[in-house]
Amino acid sequence: MQKRKIWVLTFFVVLIHCQVFAIESFTKVSAQTLALNIAGKTVEVDVYKPIGPHTGAAILTHGGFRNRKTMAEHSLALAARGVLTLAPNMPCTFDHRCNARAIVQLLNLLRSTNTFGASSNRVMLVGFSAGGLASLLAADTPGVVGFVGLDAYDHLLPNQSESLGIVAARRLATEALILRAPASSCNAQSVAASWSVEFKALWRDELIAGATHCDFEAPTDWMCRLACGDTDASRQSMVRQALLDAAARWLQ
């Protein structure tokens, strides 16, 4: 009985130590904001530099009518795991192809310059909602090793028979991870769910039961919750863990 108590106590001491270490690593990461000329506009980009050598890089793209700060907590978590992470404001509100070109410009800067403190030839693209579409449109660029769509949006242009995302998913050879909420008005009735059958290298397609659109950005705000529903810590944790899984798979 005494041995069992000692084992249980040891387990909780180790668990608490690991949690404290994770929190300390998280809080040591800070963002530097750069103003760059991207897609013909001045764009603010938050750069989250990892502590010590980085294993690769990630570009996190916010949703429509949102901004880079809604990707801050995801960015901090990735940087704490050794990933050089960029969270840019997107320059074009309604033009997804323009935003994709902006992501490609950031990618090229990451690969060929030290603009962000170090260069990287292995980059993961992550996009939420409309940012998921823009990221997918850029995901066939050299240097991209994985794509993550967070409850992504798709768009059908006038006089076109297929949406932008479907066409891009069909040509993408890079591995993809899709995380999505049940169909709702906020994710256009899960319009991007059909991407999964088009990907040549689908890694995971996960429907998070009960999730709202807001569960996929971090931090979200009252406006998103009012329009799309409340968030839940356990669902948000699933999203965060999937991002860390992707980084471990593609950037190690």
Side-chain angles (χ1 to χ4, degrees), residues 9 57 65 72 82 85 89 106 128 131 141 155 170 195 241 248:
L9 179 60
F65 303 103
T85 306
N89 281 339
L106 286 174
F128 165 64
T141 304
H155 184 69
R170 190 174 296 143
W195 292 356
Q241 187 58 54

Side-chain angles (χ1 to χ4, degrees), residues 171-205:
R171 70 169 182 256
L172 185 66
T174 302
E175 276 198 337
L177 164 63
I178 298 298
L179 301 172
R180 51 193 175 89
S184 71
S185 58
C186 286
N187 64 11
Q189 302 305 318
S190 201
V191 67
S194 55
W195 292 356
S196 295
V197 298
E198 303 293 344
F199 286 125
K200 294 182 176 72
L202 177 66
W203 173 37
R204 284 159 54 181
D205 175 11

